[in-house]
Amino acid sequence: YVKAVEKKGKKVKKTLEIALLYDAAGKPKIQGVKRISKPGRRMYRSVLEITPVKYGHGALMLSTPKGVMTDKEAKKENIGGEVLCYVY
């Protein structure tokens, strides 16, 4: 899904610049991203509450004590965490 990631900025003004992958027809491999946790409302899920995104065609990004993981990696590690976003 992601071609390259680059960190930019210093201290408080840090950002991530993400380059997306495209297929041979020029369409991006990522069709959409939906942010779930926000500063005013954090959403957490246990390993039992993690469900597939778009019938398994998407990914759920989680911030766990072991780092940022997809839903499949978190289930394999048997760990839950803060839900960052859906990627499909």
Side-chain angles (χ1 to χ4, degrees):
Y1 294 118
V2 177
K3 183 177 181 180
V5 177
E6 188 176 338
K7 294 179 186 178
K8 292 196 173 190
K10 293 182 181 178
K11 300 201 179 192
V12 179
K13 297 192 177 199
K14 289 182 185 177
T15 59
L16 286 176
E17 190 172 293
I18 300 172
L20 300 178
L21 279 177
Y22 291 85
D23 62 7
K27 291 174 61 178
K29 292 198 174 194
I30 294 177
Q31 300 297 318
V33 177
K34 183 176 179 185
R35 184 176 177 186
I36 305 300
S37 281
K38 298 176 183 171
R41 181 173 170 102
R42 303 288 185 189
M43 300 293 290
Y44 297 92
R45 295 231 174 120
S46 69
V47 69
L48 299 175
E49 296 171 327
I50 297 173
T51 57
V53 177
K54 297 279 186 179
Y55 301 103
H57 295 288
L60 173 70
M61 301 303 293
L62 294 157
S63 176
T64 68
K66 293 186 178 181
V68 177
M69 299 182 176
T70 64
D71 54 345
K72 292 174 186 171
E73 293 170 339
K75 278 212 174 248
K76 186 185 285 186
E77 293 284 329
N78 197 28
I79 192 167
E82 181 182 350
V83 181
L84 300 175
C85 63
Y86 293 132
V87 179
Y88 49 90

